[in-house]
Amino acid sequence: MPRILFRLLYGALLGVAFLFAAWLSFRGSITGRSVTVPDLSGKTVPEAIRIAHDVGLRVEEQASRARYDDRVPRHRVLIQQPEAGSLAKPGQVLRLVLSLGPRELQVPDLAGLAPRAAALKLARESLQLGAVSWYRDTEAPAGIVGQNPEPETPATKGAAVEVLTNRGMPEQRFVMPDFVGQDADKVRARLGTFGFRVGSARYETYEGVQPNTVLKQFPPAGYPLSRRDVVSLTVSQSASAIPPAS
């Protein structure tokens, strides 16, 4: 019995040793047939080809994936696959994406825009609005009439564009009348005659007040009013106009 047990243990040890030796052999064969991928970032294509060739690898430029980058100069490696430091088989292809360099910006044409609209347009181009100078010519259209730099001038990211704008005809201001207590239809007609806009009315019941009477107004009486403003009215209605609660 002890002899049989000894043979079983001896056989098991031989099996483990065989498996371990086979694993070492397999690992050595894999490692022996692999090379470490070099770091090609920032290299030109000829430099990348030479470095890859020295370790038995090939390169392929993926021109359709080229992109702008503020840090990597134009025509240099921006991305590589597989990544540097990984293992590759001899003859494997390294795919390269090249940089187009920093995006080439051009100053847009701002003619006719208000300064606020010009600032938004410049921001979309990674530029910003600089000093704003102005004058007033009531016979000429309002808006930007000059800029520095001129349109289509090359620019760097964040550059400022100075503008000269004509403010044109000064905006007319009126004093808001007191319409509280007046007939809402007549108030709307009067405001419309002078070119003012009236928004949707809000209706409320108010005991002792005739229906369709102005209860509140905005802007309030005496407030400065321009034709760009919208006048809001709160108007009385009869109790019978309110739908019954369900």
Side-chain angles (χ1 to χ4, degrees):
M1 186 68 179
R3 182 176 296 179
I4 295 175
L5 182 60
F6 174 78
R7 289 179 178 177
L8 290 174
L9 290 174
Y10 182 73
L13 288 174
L14 286 178
V16 171
F18 175 78
L19 291 174
F20 182 70
W23 178 80
L24 287 177
S25 176
F26 174 76
R27 183 175 181 274
S29 64
I30 293 298
T31 305
R33 294 201 306 268
S34 300
V35 296
T36 301
V37 176
D39 185 3
L40 304 178
S41 58
K43 302 293 190 295
T44 63
V45 173
E47 290 173 340
I49 292 175
R50 177 180 55 78
I51 295 172
H53 182 267
D54 288 345
V55 295
L57 300 174
R58 297 179 296 139
V59 300
E60 176 185 288
E61 178 189 347
Q62 296 188 314
S64 62
R65 296 181 58 196
R67 64 184 68 175
Y68 293 102
D69 190 271
D70 293 335
R71 294 171 296 178
V72 179
R74 184 179 177 87
H75 298 318
R76 291 184 177 269
V77 176
L78 177 63
I79 301 172
Q80 68 177 78
Q81 294 175 335
E83 296 180 353
S86 58
L87 295 179
K89 296 180 180 179
Q92 184 171 335
V93 175
L94 304 182
R95 294 175 174 82
L96 306 181
V97 176
L98 301 186
S99 170
L100 297 175
R103 183 182 294 275
E104 296 178 356
L105 304 177
Q106 286 190 337
V107 177
D109 187 359
L110 306 177
L113 297 179
R116 180 178 178 82
L120 294 174
K121 186 172 184 178
L122 289 169
R124 289 194 293 268
E125 301 296 331
S126 299
L127 302 173
Q128 60 180 327
L129 183 64
V132 178
S133 303
W134 66 273
Y135 71 102
R136 192 182 299 280
D137 182 353
T138 58
E139 297 182 358
I144 292 174
V145 297
Q147 64 182 80
N148 181 35
E150 295 290 331
E152 299 185 2
T153 301
T156 57
K157 185 177 181 180
V161 180
E162 301 175 348
V163 298
L164 173 64
T165 183
N166 175 28
R167 290 189 174 179
M169 182 72 70
E171 185 178 42
Q172 288 183 297
R173 290 278 180 174
F174 304 87
V175 177
M176 181 69 172
D178 186 359
F179 293 122
V180 174
Q182 299 185 33
D183 182 82
D185 291 337
K186 293 181 179 179
V187 170
R188 291 191 189 94
R190 182 179 175 187
L191 288 170
T193 300
F194 291 98
F196 295 102
R197 296 178 295 166
V198 181
S200 299
R202 178 183 176 185
Y203 291 91
E204 295 181 358
T205 57
Y206 200 91
E207 187 176 353
V209 176
Q210 289 291 328
N212 205 43
T213 300
V214 176
L215 300 175
K216 301 175 186 176
Q217 65 181 66
F218 186 86
Y223 191 90
L225 183 69
S226 73
R227 287 192 171 88
R228 293 185 304 167
D229 297 324
V230 178
V231 178
S232 300
L233 301 176
T234 300
V235 181
S236 64
Q237 66 178 1
S238 63
S240 60
I242 303 176
S246 56

